[in-house]
Amino acid sequence: LQHPVPDLARPLAPERDIEAAEPVPIEVPEVLDLLGALVDKSLLVAEHPQPAADGEAAGRGPGEVRYRMLETIHEYATERAEENAATRRDQAAAIRRHILYFQEFAHTAEPRLRSAEQLPWLHRVETDLDNIRAALHRALQAGDTVSARAIVFDLGWFWFLRNYRDEGAAWVVRLMRLLGSDLPEADTPHDDVRWDIVDLHLLRYFLVADQSTAEQINRPESVELARRICDAYGGRMPSPRAARFPGLLWPFGRYLLDGLMGVLAQFDEAVANCRRHGDEWALATALVFRTHLAIDAPGGVVRAEEHWAELRGLSRRVGDRWLLAQMAGANGEMAMVRGRYEEARTSFEEALRLARELRAYTETPFLITRLADLAVHQRQLEVGLSLLDQADEEAQRYGVRDAVAFNRALRAHIELCAGNVARARTLCDESRALAEAASPPPQFWVAVGGLDAVIRAESGELPEALRTARGALAHGAESNCAESLVAQQAVSTAAVLQHCGEYSRSVLLLGAAEGWQAGLPWTPMLASRFAKVEKKARAVLGSERYATQYAAGRRLTVEDCLIQIDEALARLPGGSPAPDDAT
C-alpha cells in the first residue's frame, strides 16, 4: 500500500538534528549546551538512529543525534507561546526560520534525488519528512504561497519515487486552493503563478495516474484539463519550463486528445526542447518516456532504438536509479522482441534490482510480471507461475491494480495452454473485471481480447469468438499498437477461423500476421501456435492451396482482414459454422 496520508491540517512535533537547531539565534556551542540541558530535564528525547542497512544512510555519521519533543510537551509549549504578544512574536519568528530552513533543505535535496547521490538523500528527506510536513503546513496556513510552492515542487520527485503519491497529491490540492486552480487559456499572458498552476495540475496528474480508473481519466473535465495543459505548453515551445520536472510531462496530456501517436509526436517535441533548455536528467527522462511509447507504437523497436545509445549514455552519467531501471526495462522489452531472451531476462532482473534498491515498490510487480511473461513465451510454464505468485504478492502489498489484471490474463493463457479451458475462462473474466477498476493501456485490452476469443472458440462459442477476435484486431490497429501485437491477434484470429471451418481465411490471416511481423522472430510460444494452425490448414487445403492463400495474405491490410472476418461471420447463422469451401 501507499504510505498513509498524515493529517495535513496540523503541524507535528517532529524530531531534528543539531544542524536543524542551529538556525535559532543562539551561538552554536550554546545550542549544544541548551539541547543537553533540555534532554537532562526530559523536555527533549535524544535518539541515535542506526544507518540504513541498504546503504541509504551513507555519508551520515553513525553517531548522529536526533532530538524529539514529546507530543504533550509540544502542545504545552504551543499553548504557552500564545500567552502574550512577545512570546507570540518569538513563536512566529521561530516558525518562519523553521519554514525557511526546510525550504532550503528541500531545494538542496531536489537535484540530488535525481542523481547518483539519491540513496543517502532519499534517506535524509525521509528522516526529516515530519519537519518538512510541518513547514509546508505552516506555510500554507500562513498563506505563504512562495515557500509552499518551492517545497511542493522540490518534493514532487520524492513523493513519486517513494510512493507518497496520495500525500503529495493532497498537498498539491491544498496549494491550488490558495493559488486558484483555474488553468489560463492559451492566449492569455502567463506569469510565474499561472505557470505554477499548470505545473501543479501536471504534478497532481502524474502522482495519481496509476491509481485512477479509465472512467476517471476519460471524464469530460479531465479531457478539458488535458486540452488546457497542451494548449498552455504547446503554444509556447520551446520553453525552459517544459524542460524541467514536472513541466516536461506535458505531452502526456495529449493522450486523452489524440491517443498514443499524439503523445509520441509531442515527446519528439519535448526531447528537442530538453536538448535546448534542459539538463541531462531532463533529456534522459524525456527520452526514456519516448522510448517506452515507441516500443508500443507502429515502428516498434526500430523507432525505439533511434536514440538508444544516447539514452544509455545519459542515464549512466546521471546515475538516477529510476532512469537506469527504466532503461533496463526498455532494453528487456526490445531484446524480447528481437528474440534475445537471455538478454531480456538479465535486463528485467537488473531493472528489478534497481527498483528494489530505490524502494520504488510500485515498479516491482510489473517487472516480475515481465519476467513471468518472458518465461511463458519461452514455454517455461512452471517458472512463469512461480513468478506470477511473486508478482501478485507484491502487487497486492503495494496496491498496483494494473499488475494484478495483467497477471490474471497471463494465468489464463497458461491454463489455456494446459487445456484447462474452464479455468482459463474464469481467469480471463477476472482479469477484465480487475482492469475495469484500473487504467491499463490499450495493449492490455487488445491482448486480452485475443485471448478471450480463443477461449470462446475452444468453448464452442463460435460467433462470439469471431466477433471478439475481430474487435481485438480492430482495436489494435485503431489504437496504433505495435505491428507485432497486431500480428499476434491475427494468429489468434486464424485459430478462431479454423474452429469455424474457415480454413482458407485462416491462412490469409496467417500470411497477414507474418507480413506485419516484418521479419521479427516469433517467440517459442507464438511459433508453436502459428505452426499448429499452419499444420491443420495444410492438411485440409493441401500445400499448393495453402501457399497461394498464404502469399495472398502477405499483402493484406488490417482493413482487408476485417472484411474477411465479416464475411466469415455472415456464414454462421444461428451460431453453426458453415464449412469452408475447400474442406
Side-chain angles (χ1 to χ4, degrees), residues 178-453:
L178 286 179
L179 294 173
S181 60
D182 289 338
L183 283 171
E185 291 290 351
D187 57 352
T188 59
H190 282 39
D191 57 18
D192 285 345
V193 174
R194 287 176 178 271
W195 274 118
D196 283 347
I197 292 170
V198 177
D199 280 351
L200 286 167
H201 278 286
L202 269 173
L203 179 57
R204 181 181 177 278
Y205 173 79
F206 187 60
L207 292 171
V208 304
D210 284 346
Q211 298 300 316
S212 300
T213 65
E215 180 184 358
Q216 291 170 329
I217 291 173
N218 289 291
R219 286 174 180 167
E221 56 268 31
S222 299
V223 175
E224 174 62 13
L225 176 63
R227 183 191 67 77
R228 300 279 286 277
I229 288 172
C230 290
D231 286 348
Y233 273 112
R236 289 171 169 80
M237 297 293 282
S239 164
R241 293 284 301 222
R244 60 179 182 261
F245 181 83
L248 61 83
L249 303 172
W250 78 270
F252 283 115
R254 186 61 63 185
Y255 186 83
L256 295 183
L257 307 176
D258 299 317
L260 175 60
M261 298 309 291
V263 182
L264 192 53
Q266 295 303 311
F267 260 109
D268 288 340
E269 188 176 346
V271 166
N273 186 58
C274 286
R275 291 190 194 283
R276 181 171 180 174
H277 295 292
D279 59 15
E280 288 194 322
W281 181 88
L283 177 56
T285 300
L287 280 171
V288 86
F289 282 132
R290 180 195 180 280
T291 297
H292 280 294
L293 291 165
I295 289 171
D296 292 331
V301 294
V302 174
R303 193 167 185 171
E305 289 167 346
E306 289 176 10
H307 301 290
W308 183 248
E310 180 185 17
L311 173 58
R312 183 171 54 193
L314 282 169
S315 299
R316 289 172 177 172
R317 287 199 300 275
V318 170
D320 179 346
R321 286 162 180 79
W322 179 84
L323 268 177
L324 291 168
Q326 292 295 316
M327 186 188 72
N331 189 68
E333 292 183 58
M334 292 189 292
M336 186 174 173
V337 172
R338 292 288 190 189
R340 303 193 299 264
Y341 303 123
E342 185 58 29
E343 179 185 341
R345 183 186 62 78
T346 301
S347 293
F348 289 140
E349 288 176 346
E350 173 69 1
L352 183 60
R353 181 190 69 78
L354 287 164
R356 283 177 170 161
E357 188 176 72
L358 193 55
R359 298 188 195 171
Y361 291 131
T362 55
E363 307 278 350
T364 60
F366 274 114
L367 290 167
I368 301 171
T369 298
R370 289 290 189 193
L371 286 164
D373 187 47
L374 176 61
V376 170
H377 275 274
Q378 290 183 279
R379 305 175 72 179
Q380 300 169 356
L381 302 186
E382 291 302 321
V383 174
L385 284 170
S386 177
L387 287 165
L388 284 173
D389 288 341
Q390 296 177 43
D392 275 337
E393 180 184 350
E394 295 209 12
Q396 295 288 356
R397 185 185 309 160
Y398 301 115
V400 187
R401 295 178 295 185
D402 283 6
V404 180
F406 274 95
N407 293 347
R408 287 290 198 284
L410 195 50
R411 287 182 187 276
H413 186 75
I414 293 172
E415 293 294 343
L416 185 62
C417 291
N420 302 323
V421 179
R423 179 59 180 157
R425 165 84 282 148
T426 299
L427 289 167
C428 188
D429 289 344
E430 289 178 1
S431 175
R432 284 182 175 277
L434 288 164
E436 292 289 348
S439 55
Q443 290 81 5
F444 168 83
W445 295 108
V446 173
V448 169
L451 173 65
D452 190 13

Side-chain angles (χ1 to χ4, degrees), residues 517-537:
Q517 190 71 355
L520 293 171
W522 298 103
T523 66
M525 178 65 72
L526 289 168
S528 175
R529 183 184 301 169
F530 192 104
K532 182 178 179 182
V533 177
E534 177 186 25
K535 181 179 179 180
K536 192 170 183 180

